[in-house]
Amino acid sequence: MTGLTKWAREIAAWQTYMTARKLRVATIDLRVYHVTRFSREVGGTPESLTFDGLTAWVAGKPWLPNTARAYRASLRSFYSWALATGRVTHSPPHLWLPPNVPRALPRPTPEAVYRIALRATDPRVRLAVRLGGACGLRRGEIAKAKREHVQDDLAGHCLWVRGKGGHERLVPLPDEIAREILRMPAGYLFPSSHGRHLTPAHLGKLVASELQAIEARLDSKLTTHTLRHRAGTRAYDQTKDLRAVQELLGHSKPETTAIYTQVSRAAVRAAMMGAADGL
């Protein structure tokens, strides 16, 4: 059996294991792609990998930190499974320290652009803009939303959402958005011609085209994700409750939520003035 054949056999078994764990298809596909690419470029067999060999491979990649972090996670996942099942006796990826990922600044869609986008001629785009910019939904969550996902709660209406990792949450809906959705036919809010929903990528292109047409002068790229930053920023500005914003956006860690919430310059200045009081 050649090295690549053994890699392929082990990766197939690992893929079956991840499927049995009910991981998201997108997560499984990405992990399998990462480890398959790695195996083809490094060669050998899973048990013959050395830390020096792994380090040399990583050093030759002109990756951004986030890409390196994604590959590290996939390789560590594969080798954790291989260790647990007795396929290998050591795991070089577990000696790979996490890359230093610089903290990113929030990139909320400018308020003027958001307000104009709410008057978009395409009703699908208008609704998607509101679900992203007001409710903080991811583009995949928007694309898969159904009218039946709207529920009553004690304060009004909310939308049932299954987000990353299969985690569920209830996202409060403004009354006018809830009424608009409840007037729509049953099924997906963004149906495709094939009887399913629009793909997240296609929905993202529709929204991004609208936003960028409104503010073509901006260098930054405006997308459904910047709408999500807008929702996080506005929510935090109104409540100053990072934990509540974390629940709204469906993040597992408050540190992630902090990346989505742009603090106003006035608030930062006020903090400085408080620190400087008495000087």
Side-chain angles (χ1 to χ4, degrees):
M1 181 186 299
T2 67
L4 284 179
T5 301
K6 188 164 187 180
W7 271 109
R9 188 184 69 178
E10 304 293 33
I11 290 171
W14 173 54
Q15 183 174 7
T16 300
Y17 165 74
M18 291 190 289
T19 302
R21 284 188 58 202
K22 307 304 180 185
L23 298 184
R24 293 170 62 243
V25 173
T27 299
I28 295 173
D29 289 346
L30 183 62
R31 288 182 178 179
V32 168
Y33 168 76
H34 285 162
V35 178
T36 299
R37 179 184 176 187
F38 174 79
S39 69
R40 290 172 179 169
E41 295 184 6
V42 171
T45 60
E47 64 271 22
S48 69
L49 179 67
T50 65
F51 181 66
D52 287 345
L54 171 64
T55 302
W57 183 77
V58 174
K61 299 298 180 184
W63 287 337
L64 293 175
N66 279 325
T67 302
R69 183 172 62 176
Y71 270 89
R72 175 179 179 269
S74 295
L75 287 167
R76 285 165 65 92
S77 173
F78 173 79
Y79 271 87
S80 290
W81 166 82
L83 280 169
T85 57
R87 286 168 164 85
V88 299
T89 59
H90 68 291
S91 173
H94 282 80
L95 300 176
W96 182 1
L97 296 178
N100 182 28
V101 180
R103 188 182 71 168
L105 291 174
R107 298 184 300 111
T109 297
E111 198 63 19
V113 175
Y114 175 72
R115 295 296 172 184
I116 296 173
L118 294 180
R119 302 195 294 271
T121 55
D122 187 335
R124 298 176 303 172
V125 172
R126 285 200 305 271
L127 180 57
V129 166
R130 299 181 84 182
L131 289 174
C135 303
L137 269 62
R138 301 176 175 93
R139 68 178 189 178
E141 296 167 348
I142 297 172
K144 297 174 185 176
K146 292 183 175 181
R147 191 191 72 179
E148 294 83 352
H149 292 164
V150 176
Q151 302 179 12
D152 292 326
D153 63 20
L154 296 177
H157 291 89
C158 58
L159 184 70
W160 175 87
V161 172
R162 176 175 283 126
K164 280 188 174 181
H167 298 297
E168 300 178 4
R169 71 185 191 279
L170 293 175
V171 177
L173 289 174
D175 290 340
E176 62 270 24
I177 297 180
R179 287 193 294 267
E180 178 181 351
I181 292 174
L182 292 173
R183 289 195 297 266
M184 298 174 70
Y188 291 111
L189 305 184
F190 303 92
S192 70
S193 58
H194 304 294
R196 293 282 296 166
H197 56 76
L198 293 180
T199 66
H202 183 64
L203 181 80
K205 287 180 181 178
L206 290 175
V207 174
S209 295
E210 181 71 28
L211 295 175
Q212 292 173 35
I214 293 170
E215 189 55 281
R217 294 170 298 173
L218 286 182
D219 292 332
S220 57
K221 186 178 181 182
L222 302 179
T223 64
T224 47
H225 202 63
T226 64
L227 286 172
R228 192 162 147 80
H229 280 230
R230 186 263 176 193
T233 295
R234 293 280 293 183
Y236 182 74
D237 188 53
Q238 293 295 316
T239 66
K240 300 299 187 291
D241 188 337
L242 192 66
R243 183 72 181 84
V245 180
Q246 178 187 348
E247 286 295 314
L248 174 67
L249 299 182
H251 288 144
S252 59
K253 299 178 181 179
E255 294 87 350
T256 305
T257 306
I259 299 173
Y260 285 67
T261 51
Q262 185 178 67
V263 179
S264 71
R265 302 311 304 169
V268 175
R269 179 168 290 277
M272 178 276 295
M273 295 299 291
D277 186 37
L279 292 179

